[in-house]
Amino acid sequence: MTDLIDILAKIKAGPLFGPTLPPEAYTPINLSKENPELQGVELGDPKACQGYIDKVLNWNKATIAYGGYLEQRNLYSGNAAFETGEERRDVHLGVDYWTKAGTKVLTPLDGEIHSFKNNAVKGDYGPTIILKHTEDGFIFYSLYGHLSLESLTGLYVGKQFKKGEVLASLGTPEENVNYAPHLHFQLILNLHGKQGDYLGVCRKSEVQFYKNNCPDPNLLFSL
């Protein structure tokens, strides 16, 4: 695990979006339950969520708002998919990039299609792609969720993508199962047999396990 973390930190990843945007086009966003600005904002409503995102983008004169790794959120409140068992799932395991539907998603690293699926259940990812990567003998995976339906067209297991190639585009709320448009990007070391899907939100009691299996995606990028 430590060796792979070191490798990830040294990888020169390409941008996730095209055309290439300058660093000032990105701004951090805080969607945690501790953010007082979110009091009274129903994040589970894509229009209300988009309204807050637009405010953050406008305040910072930015194009893409990003953040969310290990963030505990109220975004999933009221959704039965996250309320099963005694403890709610509300800790986010990837980084979200909030920007316009239709935005092109680029492949940040050389990889191949491991699996893909339309997870078309409210609260899930909608159209999803998982890439398999090999670096210095280590295998790991990257997951791209909340894509457009057309992003799954023409894919097959083993299809190769070079760094910088267009992989997909972002979906609308109608396609991405009722979220404001964004990319969920997650690194995964072991998929535990999953195909086209992997848990993106865990329970607080499970954080250490998933933190070990899903390293911080910010290791790849210098935002």
Side-chain angles (χ1 to χ4, degrees):
M1 172 67 174
T2 302
D3 289 343
L4 181 54
I5 294 299
D6 290 341
I7 289 170
L8 290 173
K10 293 175 183 177
I11 290 174
K12 293 183 178 179
L16 273 171
F17 301 98
T20 302
L21 297 170
E24 57 267 28
Y26 294 80
T27 187
I29 190 170
N30 179 3
L31 296 181
S32 73
K33 60 194 302 183
E34 287 80 22
N35 185 354
E37 294 177 356
L38 294 175
Q39 290 185 8
V41 179
E42 182 52 63
L43 291 178
D45 177 346
K47 290 183 179 179
C49 186
Q50 187 66 60
Y52 179 72
I53 292 163
D54 288 342
K55 285 182 181 179
V56 173
L57 292 173
N58 290 335
W59 288 335
N60 295 283
K61 297 182 173 60
T63 303
I64 297 175
Y66 71 94
Y69 181 64
L70 299 187
E71 197 170 65
Q72 192 169 21
R73 297 171 165 178
N74 288 326
L75 178 60
Y76 317 107
S77 298
N79 189 317
F82 297 92
E83 302 284 352
T84 56
E86 296 182 1
E87 187 184 359
R88 172 190 299 166
R89 289 193 295 119
D90 61 2
V91 179
H92 191 253
L93 297 172
V95 169
D96 285 335
Y97 295 84
W98 304 86
T99 190
K100 294 179 180 179
T103 299
K104 300 298 184 186
V105 178
L106 307 183
T107 310
L109 307 167
D110 292 352
E112 65 180 62
I113 296 291
H114 169 273
S115 51
F116 55 95
K117 182 181 177 183
N118 184 12
N119 296 289
V121 177
K122 184 179 178 181
D124 212 318
Y125 293 123
T128 309
I129 296 173
I130 296 178
L131 293 181
K132 177 182 176 181
H133 309 280
T134 303
E135 293 284 344
D136 290 351
F138 286 95
I139 294 174
F140 64 98
Y141 306 88
S142 57
L143 182 150
Y144 308 77
H146 307 294
L147 306 175
S148 65
L149 284 168
E150 69 176 0
S151 299
L152 305 185
T153 301
L155 296 184
Y156 55 87
V157 174
K159 184 175 182 178
Q160 302 286 321
F161 282 88
K162 291 292 185 182
K163 180 171 74 173
E165 282 191 84
V166 174
L167 173 69
S169 60
L170 298 187
T172 63
E174 291 76 21
E175 293 174 300
N176 75 17
V177 291
N178 209 41
Y179 288 101
H182 70 290
L183 173 70
H184 174 96
F185 178 78
Q186 186 169 333
L187 295 178
I188 305 164
L189 306 187
N190 187 336
L191 285 166
H192 300 112
K194 295 287 188 181
Q195 298 284 324
D197 192 14
Y198 191 81
L199 200 70
V201 181
C202 74
R203 298 176 175 87
K204 190 174 181 179
S205 62
E206 301 170 327
V207 166
Q208 193 57 54
F209 172 82
Y210 284 105
K211 181 180 179 181
N212 289 337
N213 195 46
C214 301
D216 186 351
N218 292 306
L219 288 167
L220 291 180
F221 306 107
S222 57
L223 292 175

PDB file of all heavy atoms in Angstrom, residues 71-100:
ATOM      1  N   GLU A  71     -15.335  13.427   2.917  1.00  0.00           N
ATOM      2  CA  GLU A  71     -16.237  14.451   3.434  1.00  0.00           C
ATOM      3  C   GLU A  71     -17.522  13.798   3.920  1.00  0.00           C
ATOM      4  O   GLU A  71     -18.136  13.006   3.195  1.00  0.00           O
ATOM      5  CB  GLU A  71     -16.545  15.434   2.304  1.00  0.00           C
ATOM      6  CG  GLU A  71     -17.128  16.749   2.701  1.00  0.00           C
ATOM      7  CD  GLU A  71     -17.154  17.703   1.506  1.00  0.00           C
ATOM      8  OE1 GLU A  71     -17.886  17.421   0.541  1.00  0.00           O
ATOM      9  OE2 GLU A  71     -16.440  18.719   1.536  1.00  0.00           O
ATOM     10  N   GLN A  72     -17.941  14.127   5.147  1.00  0.00           N
ATOM     11  CA  GLN A  72     -19.214  13.636   5.669  1.00  0.00           C
ATOM     12  C   GLN A  72     -20.297  14.635   5.264  1.00  0.00           C
ATOM     13  O   GLN A  72     -20.213  15.817   5.588  1.00  0.00           O
ATOM     14  CB  GLN A  72     -19.158  13.474   7.180  1.00  0.00           C
ATOM     15  CG  GLN A  72     -20.350  12.707   7.750  1.00  0.00           C
ATOM     16  CD  GLN A  72     -20.147  12.326   9.214  1.00  0.00           C
ATOM     17  OE1 GLN A  72     -19.336  12.927   9.910  1.00  0.00           O
ATOM     18  NE2 GLN A  72     -20.892  11.340   9.673  1.00  0.00           N
ATOM     19  N   ARG A  73     -21.326  14.134   4.565  1.00  0.00           N
ATOM     20  CA  ARG A  73     -22.288  15.016   3.912  1.00  0.00           C
ATOM     21  C   ARG A  73     -23.727  14.727   4.320  1.00  0.00           C
ATOM     22  O   ARG A  73     -24.065  13.597   4.666  1.00  0.00           O
ATOM     23  CB  ARG A  73     -22.204  14.846   2.389  1.00  0.00           C
ATOM     24  CG  ARG A  73     -20.886  15.234   1.757  1.00  0.00           C
ATOM     25  CD  ARG A  73     -20.857  14.820   0.301  1.00  0.00           C
ATOM     26  NE  ARG A  73     -19.788  15.464  -0.452  1.00  0.00           N
ATOM     27  CZ  ARG A  73     -19.549  15.230  -1.735  1.00  0.00           C
ATOM     28  NH1 ARG A  73     -20.308  14.360  -2.400  1.00  0.00           N
ATOM     29  NH2 ARG A  73     -18.574  15.862  -2.359  1.00  0.00           N
ATOM     30  N   ASN A  74     -24.562  15.776   4.166  1.00  0.00           N
ATOM     31  CA  ASN A  74     -26.014  15.608   4.275  1.00  0.00           C
ATOM     32  C   ASN A  74     -26.649  15.383   2.906  1.00  0.00           C
ATOM     33  O   ASN A  74     -27.869  15.255   2.814  1.00  0.00           O
ATOM     34  CB  ASN A  74     -26.641  16.843   4.923  1.00  0.00           C
ATOM     35  CG  ASN A  74     -26.338  16.933   6.406  1.00  0.00           C
ATOM     36  OD1 ASN A  74     -26.238  15.908   7.081  1.00  0.00           O
ATOM     37  ND2 ASN A  74     -26.176  18.141   6.915  1.00  0.00           N
ATOM     38  N   LEU A  75     -25.844  15.337   1.880  1.00  0.00           N
ATOM     39  CA  LEU A  75     -26.332  15.199   0.516  1.00  0.00           C
ATOM     40  C   LEU A  75     -27.205  13.966   0.322  1.00  0.00           C
ATOM     41  O   LEU A  75     -28.100  13.942  -0.523  1.00  0.00           O
ATOM     42  CB  LEU A  75     -25.135  15.151  -0.438  1.00  0.00           C
ATOM     43  CG  LEU A  75     -25.386  14.968  -1.937  1.00  0.00           C
ATOM     44  CD1 LEU A  75     -26.229  16.106  -2.497  1.00  0.00           C
ATOM     45  CD2 LEU A  75     -24.063  14.879  -2.698  1.00  0.00           C
ATOM     46  N   TYR A  76     -26.962  12.924   1.105  1.00  0.00           N
ATOM     47  CA  TYR A  76     -27.637  11.650   0.888  1.00  0.00           C
ATOM     48  C   TYR A  76     -28.818  11.426   1.832  1.00  0.00           C
ATOM     49  O   TYR A  76     -29.445  10.370   1.799  1.00  0.00           O
ATOM     50  CB  TYR A  76     -26.615  10.515   1.046  1.00  0.00           C
ATOM     51  CG  TYR A  76     -25.303  10.829   0.377  1.00  0.00           C
ATOM     52  CD1 TYR A  76     -24.169  11.147   1.128  1.00  0.00           C
ATOM     53  CD2 TYR A  76     -25.198  10.874  -1.016  1.00  0.00           C
ATOM     54  CE1 TYR A  76     -22.967  11.483   0.521  1.00  0.00           C
ATOM     55  CE2 TYR A  76     -24.004  11.207  -1.632  1.00  0.00           C
ATOM     56  CZ  TYR A  76     -22.899  11.514  -0.861  1.00  0.00           C
ATOM     57  OH  TYR A  76     -21.715  11.856  -1.471  1.00  0.00           O
ATOM     58  N   SER A  77     -29.123  12.414   2.667  1.00  0.00           N
ATOM     59  CA  SER A  77     -30.214  12.277   3.629  1.00  0.00           C
ATOM     60  C   SER A  77     -31.544  12.052   2.910  1.00  0.00           C
ATOM     61  O   SER A  77     -31.835  12.696   1.889  1.00  0.00           O
ATOM     62  CB  SER A  77     -30.317  13.539   4.499  1.00  0.00           C
ATOM     63  OG  SER A  77     -29.144  13.722   5.244  1.00  0.00           O
ATOM     64  N   GLY A  78     -32.325  11.139   3.447  1.00  0.00           N
ATOM     65  CA  GLY A  78     -33.640  10.880   2.887  1.00  0.00           C
ATOM     66  C   GLY A  78     -33.657   9.898   1.737  1.00  0.00           C
ATOM     67  O   GLY A  78     -34.721   9.539   1.241  1.00  0.00           O
ATOM     68  N   ASN A  79     -32.475   9.455   1.295  1.00  0.00           N
ATOM     69  CA  ASN A  79     -32.402   8.474   0.213  1.00  0.00           C
ATOM     70  C   ASN A  79     -32.270   7.084   0.825  1.00  0.00           C
ATOM     71  O   ASN A  79     -31.307   6.796   1.540  1.00  0.00           O
ATOM     72  CB  ASN A  79     -31.207   8.779  -0.693  1.00  0.00           C
ATOM     73  CG  ASN A  79     -31.191   7.930  -1.959  1.00  0.00           C
ATOM     74  OD1 ASN A  79     -31.446   6.738  -1.902  1.00  0.00           O
ATOM     75  ND2 ASN A  79     -30.900   8.551  -3.080  1.00  0.00           N
ATOM     76  N   ALA A  80     -33.237   6.234   0.548  1.00  0.00           N
ATOM     77  CA  ALA A  80     -33.283   4.908   1.174  1.00  0.00           C
ATOM     78  C   ALA A  80     -32.029   4.088   0.911  1.00  0.00           C
ATOM     79  O   ALA A  80     -31.639   3.255   1.740  1.00  0.00           O
ATOM     80  CB  ALA A  80     -34.519   4.153   0.682  1.00  0.00           C
ATOM     81  N   ALA A  81     -31.370   4.320  -0.219  1.00  0.00           N
ATOM     82  CA  ALA A  81     -30.177   3.548  -0.558  1.00  0.00           C
ATOM     83  C   ALA A  81     -29.044   3.782   0.439  1.00  0.00           C
ATOM     84  O   ALA A  81     -28.151   2.940   0.594  1.00  0.00           O
ATOM     85  CB  ALA A  81     -29.701   3.907  -1.962  1.00  0.00           C
ATOM     86  N   PHE A  82     -29.072   4.927   1.140  1.00  0.00           N
ATOM     87  CA  PHE A  82     -28.004   5.266   2.079  1.00  0.00           C
ATOM     88  C   PHE A  82     -28.421   5.078   3.534  1.00  0.00           C
ATOM     89  O   PHE A  82     -27.619   5.278   4.443  1.00  0.00           O
ATOM     90  CB  PHE A  82     -27.577   6.728   1.869  1.00  0.00           C
ATOM     91  CG  PHE A  82     -26.997   6.988   0.509  1.00  0.00           C
ATOM     92  CD1 PHE A  82     -27.804   7.403  -0.530  1.00  0.00           C
ATOM     93  CD2 PHE A  82     -25.652   6.803   0.266  1.00  0.00           C
ATOM     94  CE1 PHE A  82     -27.291   7.646  -1.790  1.00  0.00           C
ATOM     95  CE2 PHE A  82     -25.117   7.039  -0.989  1.00  0.00           C
ATOM     96  CZ  PHE A  82     -25.937   7.457  -2.026  1.00  0.00           C
ATOM     97  N   GLU A  83     -29.674   4.699   3.750  1.00  0.00           N
ATOM     98  CA  GLU A  83     -30.217   4.628   5.106  1.00  0.00           C
ATOM     99  C   GLU A  83     -30.343   3.200   5.630  1.00  0.00           C
ATOM    100  O   GLU A  83     -30.903   2.975   6.695  1.00  0.00           O
ATOM    101  CB  GLU A  83     -31.603   5.296   5.150  1.00  0.00           C
ATOM    102  CG  GLU A  83     -31.615   6.749   4.701  1.00  0.00           C
ATOM    103  CD  GLU A  83     -31.047   7.688   5.741  1.00  0.00           C
ATOM    104  OE1 GLU A  83     -30.780   7.220   6.871  1.00  0.00           O
ATOM    105  OE2 GLU A  83     -30.861   8.879   5.441  1.00  0.00           O
ATOM    106  N   THR A  84     -29.866   2.207   4.884  1.00  0.00           N
ATOM    107  CA  THR A  84     -30.009   0.815   5.312  1.00  0.00           C
ATOM    108  C   THR A  84     -29.125   0.527   6.521  1.00  0.00           C
ATOM    109  O   THR A  84     -28.016   1.046   6.637  1.00  0.00           O
ATOM    110  CB  THR A  84     -29.627  -0.143   4.162  1.00  0.00           C
ATOM    111  OG1 THR A  84     -28.306   0.152   3.729  1.00  0.00           O
ATOM    112  CG2 THR A  84     -30.586   0.010   2.988  1.00  0.00           C
ATOM    113  N   GLY A  85     -29.627  -0.299   7.436  1.00  0.00           N
ATOM    114  CA  GLY A  85     -28.877  -0.638   8.638  1.00  0.00           C
ATOM    115  C   GLY A  85     -29.000   0.445   9.692  1.00  0.00           C
ATOM    116  O   GLY A  85     -29.719   1.430   9.543  1.00  0.00           O
ATOM    117  N   GLU A  86     -28.268   0.275  10.767  1.00  0.00           N
ATOM    118  CA  GLU A  86     -28.348   1.205  11.896  1.00  0.00           C
ATOM    119  C   GLU A  86     -27.553   2.481  11.661  1.00  0.00           C
ATOM    120  O   GLU A  86     -27.789   3.490  12.318  1.00  0.00           O
ATOM    121  CB  GLU A  86     -27.856   0.512  13.171  1.00  0.00           C
ATOM    122  CG  GLU A  86     -28.722  -0.664  13.615  1.00  0.00           C
ATOM    123  CD  GLU A  86     -28.228  -1.295  14.897  1.00  0.00           C
ATOM    124  OE1 GLU A  86     -27.208  -0.797  15.441  1.00  0.00           O
ATOM    125  OE2 GLU A  86     -28.853  -2.270  15.352  1.00  0.00           O
ATOM    126  N   GLU A  87     -26.596   2.438  10.747  1.00  0.00           N
ATOM    127  CA  GLU A  87     -25.727   3.594  10.519  1.00  0.00           C
ATOM    128  C   GLU A  87     -25.819   4.040   9.068  1.00  0.00           C
ATOM    129  O   GLU A  87     -25.626   3.254   8.148  1.00  0.00           O
ATOM    130  CB  GLU A  87     -24.271   3.228  10.862  1.00  0.00           C
ATOM    131  CG  GLU A  87     -23.317   4.405  10.816  1.00  0.00           C
ATOM    132  CD  GLU A  87     -21.874   3.973  11.068  1.00  0.00           C
ATOM    133  OE1 GLU A  87     -21.647   2.767  11.293  1.00  0.00           O
ATOM    134  OE2 GLU A  87     -20.989   4.841  11.033  1.00  0.00           O
ATOM    135  N   ARG A  88     -26.115   5.295   8.869  1.00  0.00           N
ATOM    136  CA  ARG A  88     -26.233   5.868   7.524  1.00  0.00           C
ATOM    137  C   ARG A  88     -24.881   5.902   6.818  1.00  0.00           C
ATOM    138  O   ARG A  88     -23.840   6.108   7.424  1.00  0.00           O
ATOM    139  CB  ARG A  88     -26.780   7.292   7.648  1.00  0.00           C
ATOM    140  CG  ARG A  88     -26.781   8.090   6.348  1.00  0.00           C
ATOM    141  CD  ARG A  88     -27.103   9.537   6.595  1.00  0.00           C
ATOM    142  NE  ARG A  88     -28.415   9.703   7.191  1.00  0.00           N
ATOM    143  CZ  ARG A  88     -28.831  10.835   7.749  1.00  0.00           C
ATOM    144  NH1 ARG A  88     -28.026  11.878   7.829  1.00  0.00           N
ATOM    145  NH2 ARG A  88     -30.046  10.901   8.251  1.00  0.00           N
ATOM    146  N   ARG A  89     -24.897   5.687   5.507  1.00  0.00           N
ATOM    147  CA  ARG A  89     -23.709   5.911   4.685  1.00  0.00           C
ATOM    148  C   ARG A  89     -23.683   7.389   4.286  1.00  0.00           C
ATOM    149  O   ARG A  89     -24.582   7.858   3.588  1.00  0.00           O
ATOM    150  CB  ARG A  89     -23.733   5.034   3.434  1.00  0.00           C
ATOM    151  CG  ARG A  89     -23.506   3.568   3.698  1.00  0.00           C
ATOM    152  CD  ARG A  89     -23.224   2.772   2.436  1.00  0.00           C
ATOM    153  NE  ARG A  89     -24.350   2.745   1.521  1.00  0.00           N
ATOM    154  CZ  ARG A  89     -24.319   3.225   0.285  1.00  0.00           C
ATOM    155  NH1 ARG A  89     -23.229   3.795  -0.206  1.00  0.00           N
ATOM    156  NH2 ARG A  89     -25.395   3.151  -0.485  1.00  0.00           N
ATOM    157  N   ASP A  90     -22.655   8.122   4.691  1.00  0.00           N
ATOM    158  CA  ASP A  90     -22.598   9.545   4.341  1.00  0.00           C
ATOM    159  C   ASP A  90     -21.180  10.091   4.194  1.00  0.00           C
ATOM    160  O   ASP A  90     -20.988  11.305   4.096  1.00  0.00           O
ATOM    161  CB  ASP A  90     -23.379  10.382   5.364  1.00  0.00           C
ATOM    162  CG  ASP A  90     -22.841  10.273   6.782  1.00  0.00           C
ATOM    163  OD1 ASP A  90     -21.832   9.568   6.997  1.00  0.00           O
ATOM    164  OD2 ASP A  90     -23.436  10.898   7.686  1.00  0.00           O
ATOM    165  N   VAL A  91     -20.169   9.212   4.156  1.00  0.00           N
ATOM    166  CA  VAL A  91     -18.788   9.658   3.978  1.00  0.00           C
ATOM    167  C   VAL A  91     -18.355   9.368   2.542  1.00  0.00           C
ATOM    168  O   VAL A  91     -18.342   8.220   2.103  1.00  0.00           O
ATOM    169  CB  VAL A  91     -17.827   8.962   4.976  1.00  0.00           C
ATOM    170  CG1 VAL A  91     -16.395   9.441   4.747  1.00  0.00           C
ATOM    171  CG2 VAL A  91     -18.260   9.241   6.407  1.00  0.00           C
ATOM    172  N   HIS A  92     -17.972  10.406   1.842  1.00  0.00           N
ATOM    173  CA  HIS A  92     -17.692  10.331   0.400  1.00  0.00           C
ATOM    174  C   HIS A  92     -16.270   9.844   0.147  1.00  0.00           C
ATOM    175  O   HIS A  92     -15.319  10.332   0.761  1.00  0.00           O
ATOM    176  CB  HIS A  92     -17.898  11.731  -0.197  1.00  0.00           C
ATOM    177  CG  HIS A  92     -17.901  11.770  -1.675  1.00  0.00           C
ATOM    178  ND1 HIS A  92     -16.855  12.294  -2.401  1.00  0.00           N
ATOM    179  CD2 HIS A  92     -18.835  11.374  -2.570  1.00  0.00           C
ATOM    180  CE1 HIS A  92     -17.155  12.219  -3.692  1.00  0.00           C
ATOM    181  NE2 HIS A  92     -18.335  11.662  -3.821  1.00  0.00           N
ATOM    182  N   LEU A  93     -16.098   8.891  -0.772  1.00  0.00           N
ATOM    183  CA  LEU A  93     -14.816   8.215  -0.965  1.00  0.00           C
ATOM    184  C   LEU A  93     -14.032   8.670  -2.191  1.00  0.00           C
ATOM    185  O   LEU A  93     -12.920   8.194  -2.416  1.00  0.00           O
ATOM    186  CB  LEU A  93     -15.039   6.697  -1.048  1.00  0.00           C
ATOM    187  CG  LEU A  93     -15.613   6.053   0.213  1.00  0.00           C
ATOM    188  CD1 LEU A  93     -15.969   4.599  -0.046  1.00  0.00           C
ATOM    189  CD2 LEU A  93     -14.641   6.174   1.379  1.00  0.00           C
ATOM    190  N   GLY A  94     -14.598   9.554  -2.979  1.00  0.00           N
ATOM    191  CA  GLY A  94     -13.888  10.060  -4.146  1.00  0.00           C
ATOM    192  C   GLY A  94     -13.805  11.571  -4.098  1.00  0.00           C
ATOM    193  O   GLY A  94     -14.068  12.200  -3.080  1.00  0.00           O
ATOM    194  N   VAL A  95     -13.428  12.154  -5.226  1.00  0.00           N
ATOM    195  CA  VAL A  95     -13.479  13.606  -5.395  1.00  0.00           C
ATOM    196  C   VAL A  95     -14.527  13.903  -6.450  1.00  0.00           C
ATOM    197  O   VAL A  95     -14.576  13.250  -7.501  1.00  0.00           O
ATOM    198  CB  VAL A  95     -12.108  14.172  -5.825  1.00  0.00           C
ATOM    199  CG1 VAL A  95     -12.230  15.633  -6.249  1.00  0.00           C
ATOM    200  CG2 VAL A  95     -11.108  14.060  -4.678  1.00  0.00           C
ATOM    201  N   ASP A  96     -15.381  14.873  -6.161  1.00  0.00           N
ATOM    202  CA  ASP A  96     -16.384  15.320  -7.124  1.00  0.00           C
ATOM    203  C   ASP A  96     -15.899  16.580  -7.824  1.00  0.00           C
ATOM    204  O   ASP A  96     -15.323  17.481  -7.187  1.00  0.00           O
ATOM    205  CB  ASP A  96     -17.716  15.621  -6.427  1.00  0.00           C
ATOM    206  CG  ASP A  96     -18.484  14.369  -6.035  1.00  0.00           C
ATOM    207  OD1 ASP A  96     -18.279  13.317  -6.683  1.00  0.00           O
ATOM    208  OD2 ASP A  96     -19.295  14.441  -5.102  1.00  0.00           O
ATOM    209  N   TYR A  97     -16.165  16.644  -9.120  1.00  0.00           N
ATOM    210  CA  TYR A  97     -15.864  17.827  -9.928  1.00  0.00           C
ATOM    211  C   TYR A  97     -17.181  18.316 -10.507  1.00  0.00           C
ATOM    212  O   TYR A  97     -17.758  17.681 -11.388  1.00  0.00           O
ATOM    213  CB  TYR A  97     -14.883  17.483 -11.045  1.00  0.00           C
ATOM    214  CG  TYR A  97     -13.521  17.056 -10.548  1.00  0.00           C
ATOM    215  CD1 TYR A  97     -13.272  15.744 -10.176  1.00  0.00           C
ATOM    216  CD2 TYR A  97     -12.476  17.971 -10.436  1.00  0.00           C
ATOM    217  CE1 TYR A  97     -12.031  15.344  -9.707  1.00  0.00           C
ATOM    218  CE2 TYR A  97     -11.225  17.578  -9.973  1.00  0.00           C
ATOM    219  CZ  TYR A  97     -11.018  16.269  -9.613  1.00  0.00           C
ATOM    220  OH  TYR A  97      -9.782  15.883  -9.156  1.00  0.00           O
ATOM    221  N   TRP A  98     -17.663  19.453 -10.019  1.00  0.00           N
ATOM    222  CA  TRP A  98     -18.973  19.983 -10.388  1.00  0.00           C
ATOM    223  C   TRP A  98     -18.823  21.001 -11.503  1.00  0.00           C
ATOM    224  O   TRP A  98     -18.179  22.050 -11.340  1.00  0.00           O
ATOM    225  CB  TRP A  98     -19.627  20.632  -9.171  1.00  0.00           C
ATOM    226  CG  TRP A  98     -19.747  19.719  -7.986  1.00  0.00           C
ATOM    227  CD1 TRP A  98     -18.812  19.495  -7.023  1.00  0.00           C
ATOM    228  CD2 TRP A  98     -20.870  18.895  -7.638  1.00  0.00           C
ATOM    229  NE1 TRP A  98     -19.258  18.583  -6.099  1.00  0.00           N
ATOM    230  CE2 TRP A  98     -20.527  18.202  -6.440  1.00  0.00           C
ATOM    231  CE3 TRP A  98     -22.136  18.684  -8.209  1.00  0.00           C
ATOM    232  CZ2 TRP A  98     -21.392  17.316  -5.814  1.00  0.00           C
ATOM    233  CZ3 TRP A  98     -22.997  17.807  -7.581  1.00  0.00           C
ATOM    234  CH2 TRP A  98     -22.638  17.129  -6.411  1.00  0.00           C
ATOM    235  N   THR A  99     -19.401  20.690 -12.647  1.00  0.00           N
ATOM    236  CA  THR A  99     -19.338  21.589 -13.796  1.00  0.00           C
ATOM    237  C   THR A  99     -20.479  21.226 -14.747  1.00  0.00           C
ATOM    238  O   THR A  99     -21.337  20.412 -14.413  1.00  0.00           O
ATOM    239  CB  THR A  99     -17.952  21.526 -14.474  1.00  0.00           C
ATOM    240  OG1 THR A  99     -17.841  22.580 -15.440  1.00  0.00           O
ATOM    241  CG2 THR A  99     -17.690  20.177 -15.129  1.00  0.00           C
ATOM    242  N   LYS A 100     -20.498  21.779 -15.929  1.00  0.00           N
ATOM    243  CA  LYS A 100     -21.650  21.662 -16.821  1.00  0.00           C
ATOM    244  C   LYS A 100     -21.808  20.258 -17.412  1.00  0.00           C
ATOM    245  O   LYS A 100     -20.825  19.585 -17.723  1.00  0.00           O
ATOM    246  CB  LYS A 100     -21.532  22.666 -17.963  1.00  0.00           C
ATOM    247  CG  LYS A 100     -21.614  24.117 -17.518  1.00  0.00           C
ATOM    248  CD  LYS A 100     -21.471  25.048 -18.707  1.00  0.00           C
ATOM    249  CE  LYS A 100     -21.544  26.513 -18.265  1.00  0.00           C
ATOM    250  NZ  LYS A 100     -21.372  27.430 -19.420  1.00  0.00           N
TER     251      LYS A 100
END
